[in-house]
Amino acid sequence: MTKKTQILVIGHNDDGCTPAHEKIAYEIGCEVAKSNCVLMTGGLGGVMKAAAKGSHDSNGLTVGIIPQDDPMHANEFCDIVIPSGMGLTRDFLTALSADGIIIVGGGSGTLSEICAAYMHKKPMVAIRNTGGAADKFIDGYVDHRKNVKIIGVDTAKDAVKKILELLHGN
């Protein structure tokens, strides 16, 4: 059996998540499911919940890695909940569990996940004009090491297509 590709979607939690963020995250979740990949998130609200709902509505598999030790904190669209009990350090677990990352806006938690993924040279794609952490590094690098370029795209479909190209060379 071949391992399924795991795509992590990161971005604003409930605080700072706009209807536009929710719409694009939902569409990303749908595209991840249609690509027969596993959708991974931090399992909470905002972008995470919208992406999980999109995947769930498209019959995809969703995994939520939450910072709490009680699975009841996860959003209702997570098929598999991993209650890490790690608090904010769970950002490293989400980043390292993914094959590739898609960024939609985001604040300091998203930035933490970006940095963890960057240090481990995980491919990343960011949706243009979603603000926050996504716009800070789009089409560039986090630092002088140039570990991995964060590629900018405009749509959910382009995001999933590009991350799969980066991962599989298609």
Side-chain angles (χ1 to χ4, degrees), residues 43-56:
L44 302 177
V47 163
M48 298 171 280
K49 182 175 180 178
K53 183 174 183 344
S55 180
H56 177 80

Side-chain angles (χ1 to χ4, degrees), residues 2-9 36-40 93-102 117 120-125 148 162-164 166-168:
T2 305
K3 177 188 149 324
K4 286 189 171 201
T5 300
Q6 298 174 185
I7 299 175
L8 175 67
V9 176
N36 198 31
C37 297
V38 176
L39 177 89
M40 301 187 67
L93 185 57
T94 56
L96 295 179
S97 296
D99 297 308
I101 293 94
I102 298 174
H120 292 275
K121 300 179 181 171
K122 299 281 183 167
M124 288 184 270
V125 171
V148 62
K162 178 52 81 175
I163 203 72
L164 291 174
L166 292 170
L167 289 168
H168 305 298

Side-chain angles (χ1 to χ4, degrees), residues 6 15 22 25 27 29 35 46 52 59 66 74 84 136 141 143 156 170:
Q6 298 174 185
D15 184 31
E22 288 176 353
E27 292 169 355
S35 298
N59 299 311
I66 63 172
S84 73
K136 296 265 191 261
Y141 302 93
D143 68 13
N170 297 335

